[in-house]
Each structure stands twice: as structure tokens, then as C-alpha cells.
Amino acid sequence: MKRLICAAILSLALPATAHAAKAIMKSVDGKEMGTLNLVQTGDGVRITGTIRGLEPGELAFHIHEVGKCEPPFTSAGGHFNPFDVPHGKLTEGGAHAGDMDNVPVLDSGPVEIDVVNPRVTLNPHGTVSLFDTDGSSIVFHQGADDYRSQPAGAAGPRIACGVIEF
């Protein structure tokens, strides 16, 4: 019984941050658009949440390499790409670890996000960790990712950004 209690106490002492994170999404003009929740699963990192204020259309949705969101969000750097591979799932040798499928926005109402990225982790150690020395962020672009153009899919300006934090 003592071992079980000690194991339970040890698991409580471990930071919950190794398994969950969030990104508060903001527009270029600083308006809060919603929160995305990130949870480590056996299949990768699941990203869920509701975003408001996006214009209708297919919008590119990526994890970027720097945890900084200063408008116009170029501070977020390029796509998260720890293995230096080409951009896009339609490109030989692609996609970046931060590449994800476009998000369909049907009208100007809230958009529900529920995706799993199998190429990244919330584990603070390792090459594909979103918590490397400069952090990571999530970015929505004004247009669709064509899954092929270098270096970022010809998706247009960055319109929303959120730093991934514990």
C-alpha cells in the first residue's frame, strides 16, 4: 500500500504541463479569438477549441517554430520543422512537423477545431518537442495552404496567433 501511495504522490508532483498546454489566439489587432487546448495523446498532440472572428474560406493552420506573437506575427518564425524537410504533404519528403490540414470556415461564426498532429509532442524533451528553447506558436493564415509551395504553402498573411504555453 505504501508503494501505491508514494507512486500517487510522485505522479501529483510531476508537472501537468508535460501532458497539456494552451494557446490563446489573438488577431493582428489584438482581439482575443479563443483558446486552443493541446493534449498529449498516444497518437500525437490533439488540438481542440473554438475560434471566433475568422473570415469564411479554407484557412491554413500551422504550428510555428517560435513562441512569439507580435503583429503581424512574423515573430512566430517559419513552420515548426525540426528535420529541415520541404513544406507540404504533397511534396516529396514533406511535410513539416508543424504542417496541418486547412481549416474550413463556413461562415463568420465560431469554428470548432479538433485535430491531432502526430509529428509533435508536448514532452519537454526531444527533437519534436513544442517546448524547445524558443517555444512554439499556432498561426492561422488568410488563405488556404496548397500543401506544396515552398516554404509555407502560399497561404497568405498571418491573421491569428497564439503562443503555446503550459
Side-chain angles (χ1 to χ4, degrees):
M1 186 65 170
K2 282 186 180 179
R3 286 187 184 184
L4 290 176
I5 292 171
C6 289
I9 290 170
L10 282 174
S11 69
L12 290 175
L14 293 174
T17 56
H19 303 288
K22 67 179 178 179
I24 298 171
M25 303 301 296
K26 293 188 178 180
S27 65
V28 175
D29 61 4
K31 292 181 185 169
E32 192 170 315
M33 302 175 77
T35 299
L36 294 177
N37 298 296
L38 293 82
V39 177
Q40 184 67 54
T41 72
D43 297 323
V45 174
R46 184 176 183 195
I47 304 169
T48 60
T50 303
I51 304 297
R52 298 170 301 284
L54 296 172
E55 295 294 322
E58 290 281 319
L59 304 183
F61 173 57
H62 305 115
I63 297 171
H64 281 244
E65 65 187 345
V66 179
K68 199 174 210 179
C69 288
E70 296 170 354
F73 306 138
T74 54
S75 58
H79 296 177
F80 184 70
N81 185 17
F83 299 114
D84 196 29
V85 299
H87 167 75
K89 65 183 183 181
L90 299 180
T91 303
E92 186 177 337
H96 296 153
D99 289 350
M100 296 182 286
D101 286 346
N102 292 327
V103 172
V105 180
L106 303 178
D107 58 40
S108 59
V111 176
E112 296 295 323
I113 305 296
D114 190 349
V115 300
V116 175
N117 185 324
R119 296 179 299 275
V120 298
T121 184
L122 297 180
N123 181 328
H125 308 289
T127 305
V128 295
S129 174
L130 298 180
F131 293 106
D132 58 8
T133 56
D134 59 1
S136 302
S137 56
I138 296 177
V139 174
F140 282 91
H141 293 259
Q142 188 174 40
D145 185 330
D146 66 10
Y147 305 125
R148 184 181 317 255
S149 297
Q150 303 303 312
R158 300 166 186 200
I159 58 170
C161 186
V163 174
I164 299 171
E165 302 175 303
F166 289 126

